[in-house]
Amino acid sequence: MPEKKPKILIITTNHSSYPGANAVGQARLSYDSNTYIIRVPDPVMFPENFYMKAFEKGISGIIIMSSGSDCPYEGAYDRLSKRIQNVYKLMKEKNININRLKLTTICTVCREAFLKEIADMEKAVSV
Amino acid sequence: MSENKEFVCDSLIIGSGIAGMQAALDIGDAGYNVIMVEKSPSIGGKMISLSKVFPTLDCASCITTPKMAASSHHPRVKAFTYSEVEKIEKTNEGFEAEIIKKPRFVIESECISCKKCEESCPVHLEDEFEFGLGVKKAISIPFTNAIPQLPVLDESKCIRCAACARVCPKDCIDYLQKPEKIKIKAKTIILATGYEITPMTAKKEYGGGRLINVISSLQAERLLAPHGPYGKVLRPSDGKIPDSIAYVQCAGSRDESIGIPYCSRVCCMYAVKQAMLLSGSLPLSEITIYYMDIRAFGKGYEQFYNQARAMGINFVKAKVAKITEDQEHNVILRIDKQEEGSVPMEVKHDMVVLSQGLLPSNKNFFGLNIEKNEYDFVASSKPDFSPALTSTEGVFTAGTACGPKDIPDTIMEAGSAAMEAVNYLKSVKI
Amino acid sequence: MSEQITEKDHTINENYRQKPKVAVYVCHCGGNISDIIDVKKVAEELSKYPNVAISREYAFMCSSTGQDYIVEDIRNNGINRVVIAACSPALHELTFRGALSRAGLNPYLYEHVNIREQASWVHKNDKEGATLKAISLTKAGVEKILRQDPLNSIRVEAVRGVAIIGGGIAGMRSALSCADNGLDVSIMEKSGSLGGNLNRKGKVYPSGKEAFEIANELSKKVLSNPKIKVYLNSEISFIGGYVGNFQLNVKKSDGKFEKVKAGAIIMATGFSHYKPQKGEYGFGLADRVVTLPEFENLLENSGEKALEISGKKVSSVAFMHCVGSRQIDGIDAPGKNGKVNEYCSRICCGSIISSANRLKEKFPEISVFDIYTDMRTYGMEHEKYYKKASENDIIFFRRPLEERPKVEIGVEKVNIKTKDVLTMNEEMEIEADLLVLGTGMEPNDISDLVEYLKLPRSSDGFLQEVHPKLRPVEVANNGIFLAGTAQGPMDIKETLQAANTASVKAAALLSSPDIPLDPFVAVVDEDKCTGCGLCPKECSYEGALIMIEKDVKGKKKKVASVNPALCKGCGACAAVCEPRAINVAGWTLDQFDAMVEAIAKE
């Protein structure tokens, strides 16, 4: 068995970052296999405790790849970023390094940015 | 010959390649009944045999199989495969077509596609689906994803050993099966008869057909396909993994000496694509493309070309004058490099792919009175108003039947022909 | 607004109510997946997973045979939920939903797991890791589908009309085809006449026809068609609604506003000629440097005796290809959007050669030079023009791909220095009275429409189709279709074909009185809802989520209520609901909790 690697959960959106993750594959670029992509209409649907529970279950890092200004849903990004601020507070209370949660924006062609976010998170979870 | 079954439909589509299937789906979705007639044993046309397609590098199967599945499951689309159109007549009500359904020597309604016949057959033949690179049996299902999944027995090669008949669990081998005549009445016709590539022998100087390591572009597609004949890229003469591969562009286009002065529109891009795929599967090989102009004019194509250059594929502006081989069957190209002032020189490659052009597959249109252009492609009667119209009312055209073009352009034309057919059907109904 | 929504239950097979029996299918994708991922192992691991009754692997799940496996297993083996690990759902989610429907199972009782674009293709050097990842993701897919309710598409009554934005040849062709199909059509055109870029003097290739004649043939038919309403000098101040029920606020030429309703929208917003920057190949520095459309005009309006510019006779003309096209980052200056135009504009080589030939035919004594890099005269007849250009003694210079000719404006002449591949990369100097810049195509500025409709654009700024082969004229937003050069450079014939394709899609969409919509909207579990009223505050869509009083199991109760045609399914409401009474159908928080659990577990 290979050594157990810390797992990174990547939350993508149907509209932008999920196709963006596909574009990385279509370009045959590479990243580590400890990355698990799930897709949602918009991450705004997750309450604060969704993230906290994920950490409890053993997920080491979470990248939220939102659609940012491309977001097809009105007001969703503002709501999401406020919510993530709350999550950071909860993380601090639980002594979880806040670098293990990242809110970012990935578009359908953001291949380089996608890889960079993963590389950054790999560093954050290896500490 | 068994006699005259008769079918009636709104639209009769000749050809079931990507153009024919797309037109069938669009007309079916709009609520009309369609019959496709296909001369090969499976629908899918040339596209299903390609490796991957530019500029997305999706595997061709991934794009074609769902369209094949969708058209074979569509409640308003029916296909006659392995069937030739004998003639089409214009009548007062529309059109009447005579179709000959060729015998597969298999009772189609009984066959369960178990392939036992194929496994038992002792006769090996060149596989036309692999463009001669692979081997098939005298009775076989044409290829993995074929629709329908029915075997065809090659009567001329069968030795009548009856091995297949003995193993068939459904007892459905029928050596005495006869061609069947079918009559189809339709209100509209769509000509989606597609293309052939220029023969390897078209340009004698290029040695195609004689030199074993000079292969056709469609053979190269099969070498690169996920389900290809060898499972990897090998050169035909000795099965060696080629270290240096060259593409000769415009080998069958833009060449008045062979009567094909036009540009075939797809050869630059498929060569660039194949080169990229080759450099992926043979990272150590040198790949060179000898070209006059790289015509990467479609959406995303220039970016695709730039990607290929960044991958290290050599693009050399040169005319290839002659192709010969040495004793080991290495291929020797005599080229005029444009960059270096037309000094003739000789270069050696392990394998050479001829980027052949596109010719019309059908030129007589089954007795229909259809205007052609000077190269025998279907001519559009109103290119600046609605290009899918032909010189005969009720007959429309799409795809490479009316000129060389790539898959995205073909799919656009299929939709356009479908629109014209649907609106024509609306107008004649009233 | 006609938002009569009916829910029709297509489910024939009710066996989803029974104990879950999941079938898992792992696709090889003909080596695309199986070369990296051990598909046998994935299937084997999954066969041991709770509630999985069947686990198979196959070469091409999308093929007819692959789909038949699914249908058979549902019909004969009591399967009532399906997980497919294959390519991206963008390719085949619909394909497999269709297979479930054919077998009589609710098409939404299937989960698509992406192990190609997001596993095998990106973990080429880690076969073991990729296999383990595929196993975890597929298990998560099983967990998700176990908690999935059958969904039924929401059917919305559709307006049998099409709004076409843009009155160029793409818009007009679409309008005629849609009207012939029986649909009501509105064309919104911002300028004062139909015809777009063809509304000009000058000939087009390859037919040699007058541009305006082509436009006129279409516009005469459009203007006389009773089913087509044309709004000239109009502006669109807002677009709202959804497939089947779009609403456009149109500001008409008289300044008054009109609401236009449409079931589908065709974007035929067209292109603009690239405008060179000041100083780009001498543009804007002297009147002796003009763009190709300006030159066309000049040639058309010149007398028979001589071509003149600013009163001076022209005796030599140079044409420059690829101005504003095939630009290279770091060599060419970026445009207003901060980017270079990397794409080829497709039509310029043909246009330039055709113009140059006409110039030579009208004024044989004028010397003509042509500076190009690849001659992309791809059309059936174009090669003939190219040959004729040589016969017309047009002199060609082929510049290297990454070199840019230098242009200096002299007192009388334009001086062009370029390296020429055809003469061993020698530096050539060309003196011409007139330099014509072969400008490419750029999409028209439609940022407001893009904003209203949240339309996707590709990196080159043109509108982006879902997939160039699977869904070439559709965008991610339902009910909106692309026609012509709004999508990318095309010539006249190609534009007309694209416009007809957009029309056939609109016609099929509106062929029945109601349109099925995706069922992924918020749903309320009224038993769980406490009536707290927090969720409507999170909703950004007017009228989509409100609190109502109603009878729930005999008791009067305040509960949240969703209008499914207005809800966009973002889920903002779900996040604030403590008892999880409101969820987006198909994307519930319980499902995600279970998926995360499966992923986190070893």
Side-chain angles (χ1 to χ4, degrees):
Chain A
M1 278 300 281
E3 61 174 306
K4 199 179 149 187
K5 274 181 161 178
K7 291 184 172 176
I8 296 171
L9 183 69
I10 301 174
I11 300 172
T12 60
T13 62
N14 285 333
H15 188 75
S16 315
S17 48
Y18 191 85
N22 284 342
V24 173
Q26 280 149 6
R28 304 299 193 277
L29 302 169
S30 283
Y31 52 89
D32 275 354
S33 63
N34 60 336
T35 43
Y36 298 85
I37 296 172
I38 61 172
R39 63 183 172 126
V40 290
D42 198 290
V44 73
M45 68 161 52
F46 295 123
E48 286 81 349
N49 69 7
F50 171 82
Y51 303 99
M52 299 309 291
K53 277 200 269 179
F55 287 126
E56 274 166 35
K57 284 170 188 157
I59 298 290
S60 300
I62 304 175
I63 311 172
I64 307 164
M65 297 185 170
S66 85
S67 316
S69 59
D70 269 353
C71 178
Y73 305 113
E74 277 170 41
Y77 186 73
D78 288 342
R79 288 197 176 89
L80 173 63
S81 50
K82 275 184 203 140
R83 187 159 302 132
I84 298 310
Q85 293 311 313
N86 296 337
V87 181
Y88 284 139
K89 273 182 218 151
L90 295 172
M91 288 172 74
K92 279 180 195 156
E93 280 168 23
K94 296 261 176 190
N95 258 333
I96 303 171
N97 185 345
I98 58 163
N99 289 340
R100 289 171 180 254
L101 175 68
K102 175 86 184 278
L103 171 61
T104 178
T105 296
I106 295 288
C107 70
T108 54
V109 287
C110 288
R111 299 194 303 225
E112 299 305 320
F114 180 93
L115 294 178
K116 186 181 175 298
E117 292 299 342
I118 289 180
D120 288 353
M121 187 55 75
E122 295 284 1
K123 260 184 237 155
V125 296
S126 67
V127 183
Chain B
M1 192 172 297
S2 73
E3 263 313 304
N4 281 350
K5 276 189 201 159
E6 203 176 291
F7 294 85
V8 177
C9 65
D10 294 312
S11 218
L12 172 62
I13 301 182
I14 319 293
S16 71
I18 188 65
M21 287 193 293
Q22 187 62 54
L25 289 170
D26 285 337
I27 296 171
D29 285 348
Y32 293 94
N33 293 313
V34 182
I35 291 177
M36 287 192 288
V37 178
E38 169 58 51
K39 64 177 184 227
S40 305
S42 170
I43 60 170
K46 296 260 191 325
M47 187 177 166
I48 186 68
S49 61
L50 304 182
S51 55
K52 299 195 178 181
V53 284
F54 57 82
T56 45
L57 285 186
D58 289 312
C59 71
S61 289
C62 304
I63 309 297
T64 324
T65 44
K67 300 238 188 215
M68 289 165 71
S71 46
S72 72
H73 292 307
H74 200 291
R76 286 184 289 276
V77 179
K78 184 177 172 57
F80 288 106
T81 52
Y82 210 39
S83 299
E84 299 273 358
V85 180
E86 284 290 288
K87 65 172 183 213
I88 304 177
E89 273 172 14
K90 199 163 168 42
T91 65
N92 289 334
E93 288 89 50
F95 300 92
E96 229 178 84
E98 234 179 73
I99 314 291
I100 303 288
K101 195 167 176 303
K102 295 176 272 188
R104 284 186 165 90
F105 303 101
V106 167
I107 302 165
E108 297 178 8
S109 55
E110 289 293 306
C111 174
I112 56 164
S113 319
C114 69
K115 286 188 150 200
K116 286 208 165 123
C117 54
E118 187 172 328
E119 283 155 20
S120 73
C121 177
V123 183
H124 291 78
L125 308 174
E126 239 182 36
D127 187 350
E128 70 266 25
F129 182 74
E130 304 292 356
F131 302 102
L133 289 178
V135 166
K136 66 164 189 180
K137 299 290 187 68
I139 183 165
S140 59
I141 292 179
F143 54 92
T144 327
N145 299 327
I147 293 183
Q149 281 278 307
L150 294 171
V152 177
L153 184 143
D154 185 336
E155 196 192 9
S156 64
K157 303 285 163 44
C158 172
I159 55 168
R160 304 293 192 279
C161 69
C164 53
R166 277 195 298 274
V167 296
C168 177
K170 301 273 294 196
D171 210 9
C172 56
I173 307 293
D174 176 4
Y175 295 108
L176 302 174
Q177 209 172 47
K178 292 278 175 289
E180 221 180 310
K181 216 179 219 174
I182 292 168
K183 202 173 251 173
I184 299 175
K185 285 183 176 171
K187 295 196 188 75
T188 63
I189 306 275
I190 291 183
L191 297 172
T193 44
Y195 68 93
E196 300 297 335
I197 54 173
T198 45
M200 287 292 279
T201 47
K203 200 165 172 76
K204 298 275 174 300
E205 299 89 317
Y206 285 177
R210 278 187 294 115
L211 310 180
I212 184 162
N213 289 326
V214 175
I215 66 169
S216 79
S217 45
L218 285 176
Q219 286 178 321
E221 288 290 334
R222 292 309 302 157
L223 286 180
L224 289 162
H227 268 19
Y230 311 143
K232 52 177 126 176
V233 179
L234 302 172
R235 72 172 192 172
S237 69
D238 49 11
K240 171 187 152 186
I241 291 174
D243 292 328
S244 106
I245 302 162
Y247 281 81
V248 177
Q249 294 309 105
C250 298
S253 313
R254 300 182 69 187
D255 189 345
E256 287 197 36
S257 74
I258 57 168
I260 308 170
Y262 55 84
C263 164
S264 291
R265 293 174 66 147
V266 293
C267 334
C268 281
M269 289 304 293
Y270 74 60
V272 170
K273 171 202 74 182
Q274 289 185 1
M276 282 169 80
L277 295 176
L278 279 171
S279 97
S281 56
L282 307 174
L284 300 175
S285 295
E286 279 272 314
I287 301 154
T288 309
I289 296 182
Y290 297 103
Y291 73 102
M292 298 204 271
D293 300 280
I294 290 294
R295 294 189 164 170
F297 56 80
K299 188 172 183 175
Y301 294 4
E302 181 72 14
Q303 293 89 325
F304 192 76
Y305 169 42
N306 288 339
Q307 212 179 323
R309 293 197 304 134
M311 282 171 80
I313 289 152
N314 304 314
F315 286 87
V316 178
K317 253 173 239 145
K319 277 190 180 164
V320 176
K322 199 174 167 60
I323 305 178
T324 51
E325 62 178 14
D326 66 11
Q327 281 175 341
E328 281 89 53
H329 298 294
N330 297 312
V331 188
I332 296 157
L333 304 185
R334 197 173 174 79
I335 63 170
D336 276 350
K337 251 186 164 179
Q338 281 198 350
E339 278 125 316
E340 281 146 40
S342 279
V343 185
M345 57 191 286
E346 283 192 348
V347 282
K348 192 153 88 175
H349 295 283
D350 290 343
M351 188 165 89
V352 163
V353 183
L354 296 186
S355 289
Q356 298 150 288
L358 271 51
L359 295 171
S361 171
N362 187 288
K363 300 173 186 178
N364 65 40
F365 313 122
F366 323 104
L368 282 168
N369 183 20
I370 299 289
E371 245 172 62
K372 303 185 276 189
N373 73 14
E374 58 187 300
Y375 314 111
D376 290 331
F377 289 99
V378 180
S380 170
S381 64
K382 301 203 89 180
D384 298 323
F385 181 72
S386 186
L389 307 181
T390 71
S391 55
T392 294
E393 197 185 292
V395 181
F396 310 97
T397 183
T400 47
C402 51
K405 59 187 62 81
D406 59 26
I407 297 164
D409 286 354
T410 294
I411 292 175
M412 287 287 199
E413 293 196 353
S416 181
M419 180 80 272
E420 289 298 340
V422 164
N423 284 347
Y424 180 80
L425 286 164
K426 280 218 162 180
S427 72
V428 294
K429 239 182 194 169
I430 301 162
Chain C
M1 206 189 300
S2 57
E3 67 227 13
Q4 289 176 22
I5 293 155
T6 52
E7 300 214 5
K8 288 182 191 163
D9 196 347
H10 303 288
T11 319
I12 313 155
N13 193 329
E14 289 280 315
N15 65 5
Y16 66 87
R17 296 185 193 283
Q18 296 158 5
K19 189 178 172 297
K21 275 181 97 173
V22 181
V24 174
Y25 305 92
V26 187
C27 182
H28 300 195
C29 198
N32 273 299
I33 292 169
S34 56
D35 285 352
I36 305 296
I37 289 172
D38 182 346
V39 287
K40 285 207 165 59
K41 189 171 170 198
V42 178
E44 196 193 305
E45 282 294 314
L46 265 294
S47 70
K48 296 181 234 160
Y49 201 68
N51 296 308
V52 174
I54 292 174
S55 180
R56 305 181 190 274
E57 27 83 28
Y58 181 63
F60 288 106
M61 279 312 296
C62 60
S63 69
S64 198
T65 316
Q67 294 185 44
D68 286 348
Y69 280 130
I70 305 170
V71 174
E72 294 277 303
D73 287 341
I74 293 169
R75 284 195 185 143
N76 305 333
N77 300 326
I79 290 303
N80 55 15
R81 270 143 224 275
V82 173
V83 173
I84 299 168
C87 55
S88 161
L91 270 85
H92 288 314
E93 197 166 41
L94 293 177
T95 311
F96 293 126
R97 275 195 201 141
L100 266 73
S101 288
R102 280 201 302 284
L105 189 62
N106 183 287
Y108 296 96
L109 290 172
Y110 129 72
E111 177 65 11
H112 196 109
V113 180
N114 182 344
I115 57 166
R116 193 179 74 165
E117 282 84 346
Q118 298 177 5
S120 66
W121 282 358
V122 287
H123 308 314
K124 288 183 287 288
N125 303 320
D126 180 10
K127 293 187 179 184
E128 196 173 353
T131 304
L132 291 175
K133 172 172 169 173
I135 292 168
S136 287
L137 285 174
T138 314
K139 285 178 179 174
V142 172
E143 292 297 339
K144 183 170 185 218
I145 208 64
L146 284 172
R147 288 161 183 79
Q148 176 86 353
D149 290 323
L151 305 175
N152 290 305
S153 52
I154 298 161
R155 300 188 82 92
V156 182
E157 196 179 301
V159 178
R160 295 246 322 141
V162 180
I164 296 173
I165 307 179
I169 55 163
M172 291 195 288
R173 181 64 262 169
S174 303
L176 288 172
S177 293
C178 289
D180 285 350
N181 198 260
L183 302 170
D184 294 313
V185 178
S186 314
I187 301 182
M188 269 62 75
E189 166 58 41
K190 65 175 185 230
S191 79
S193 57
L194 294 171
N197 282 304
L198 286 189
N199 208 353
R200 60 170 170 91
K201 280 176 88 181
K203 292 189 175 57
V204 300
Y205 74 98
S207 62
K209 261 197 190 169
E210 287 290 341
F212 67 85
E213 279 176 14
I214 293 170
N216 281 356
E217 189 181 0
L218 287 158
S219 66
K220 256 189 235 154
K221 289 209 159 67
V222 165
L223 293 168
S224 63
N225 191 316
K227 290 194 84 69
I228 303 174
K229 199 167 170 191
V230 179
Y231 298 80
L232 295 176
N233 292 310
S234 66
E235 230 175 83
I236 294 167
S237 63
F238 186 71
I239 307 180
Y242 45 88
V243 59
N245 292 279
F246 290 107
Q247 277 187 60
L248 297 86
N249 279 348
V250 182
K251 190 181 173 190
K252 296 188 292 183
S253 51
D254 59 6
K256 289 192 182 128
F257 283 88
E258 186 176 324
K259 247 189 194 132
V260 173
K261 287 184 177 183
I265 295 177
I266 292 179
M267 298 294 294
T269 49
F271 75 95
S272 305
H273 293 283
Y274 172 79
K275 190 166 187 310
Q277 303 185 21
K278 191 169 177 183
E280 185 176 357
Y281 299 116
F283 185 79
L285 302 180
D287 54 8
R288 278 159 281 155
V289 181
V290 298
T291 64
L292 186 61
E294 288 166 351
F295 172 76
E296 276 292 323
N297 214 10
L298 193 70
L299 183 63
E300 202 59 36
N301 291 320
S302 68
E304 290 305 309
K305 279 193 210 134
L307 182 72
E308 291 185 344
I309 183 122
S310 312
K312 271 188 216 138
K313 192 182 163 196
V314 172
S315 55
S316 55
V317 178
F319 289 87
M320 179 91 70
H321 289 243
C322 296
V323 178
S325 306
R326 302 186 69 187
Q327 292 180 324
I328 299 172
D329 215 4
I331 295 180
D332 298 291
K336 273 187 221 131
N337 59 0
K339 287 200 278 195
V340 296
N341 292 342
E342 215 186 324
Y343 56 89
C344 163
S345 288
R346 190 166 177 141
I347 58 143
C348 344
C349 281
S351 302
I352 291 170
I353 295 296
S354 146
S355 292
N357 277 339
R358 271 183 290 115
L359 170 66
K360 261 305 209 189
E361 278 146 28
K362 194 165 178 182
F363 305 109
E365 70 288 353
I366 292 182
S367 316
V368 177
F369 309 100
D370 182 293
I371 305 152
Y372 73 106
T373 182
D374 287 289
M375 188 60 75
R376 292 183 169 172
T377 41
Y378 64 87
M380 187 64 103
E381 311 290 324
H382 302 185
E383 204 68 36
K384 273 193 208 157
Y385 295 161
Y386 184 24
K387 195 177 160 228
K388 200 161 158 209
S390 298
E391 290 163 5
N392 279 336
D393 292 328
I394 292 170
I395 298 160
F396 289 94
F397 299 91
R398 180 172 190 149
R399 69 163 168 83
L401 199 53
E402 281 158 6
E403 301 274 343
R404 296 291 175 265
K406 288 183 189 59
V407 174
E408 274 169 31
I409 310 292
V411 189
E412 300 263 297
K413 304 254 179 192
V414 185
N415 188 292
I416 306 147
K417 285 199 188 92
T418 183
K419 274 195 184 161
D420 179 28
V421 173
L422 303 174
T423 48
M424 302 172 85
N425 274 334
E426 226 175 276
E427 177 113 333
M428 307 296 274
E429 208 169 318
I430 304 153
E431 287 217 317
D433 294 329
L434 182 64
L435 171 61
V436 181
L437 303 182
T439 44
M441 285 186 173
E442 284 188 329
N444 272 326
D445 179 13
I446 49 162
S447 36
D448 45 352
L449 300 176
V450 165
E451 179 60 27
Y452 302 145
L453 292 168
K454 306 284 179 204
L455 295 174
R457 282 196 275 199
S458 52
S459 57
D460 54 17
F462 290 92
L463 293 175
Q464 178 68 39
E465 66 284 346
V466 176
H467 188 281
K469 298 177 183 74
L470 291 173
R471 291 165 72 191
V473 295
E474 293 163 70
V475 294
N477 322 41
N478 247 337
I480 301 173
F481 305 102
L482 307 178
T485 51
Q487 186 180 6
M490 295 178 193
D491 71 9
I492 292 167
K493 202 172 155 187
E494 290 153 0
T495 298
L496 295 169
Q497 302 275 40
N500 256 351
T501 301
S503 312
V504 84
K505 299 291 178 198
L509 176 76
L510 301 177
S511 64
S512 62
D514 56 8
I515 299 171
L517 293 185
D518 271 348
F520 307 119
V521 294
V523 284
V524 179
D525 183 334
E526 292 174 344
D527 289 337
K528 283 190 188 166
C529 180
T530 61
C532 71
L534 281 176
C535 57
K537 290 181 196 136
E538 295 294 310
C539 182
S540 295
Y541 300 97
E542 189 75 35
L545 178 58
I546 51 170
M547 298 304 293
I548 56 163
E549 196 134 327
K550 77 178 269 193
D551 270 345
V552 178
K553 292 185 177 159
K555 266 195 274 175
K556 235 187 174 138
K557 190 179 172 187
K558 220 176 142 191
V559 289
S561 165
V562 178
N563 178 341
L566 294 173
C567 174
K568 305 268 178 190
C570 68
C573 50
V576 297
C577 183
E578 186 84 31
R580 296 197 169 175
I582 191 164
N583 263 298
V584 178
W587 309 93
T588 69
L589 290 176
D590 288 349
Q591 289 179 309
F592 285 112
D593 277 343
M595 290 173 80
V596 172
E597 178 109 37
I599 289 168
K601 238 195 318 215
E602 203 50 49

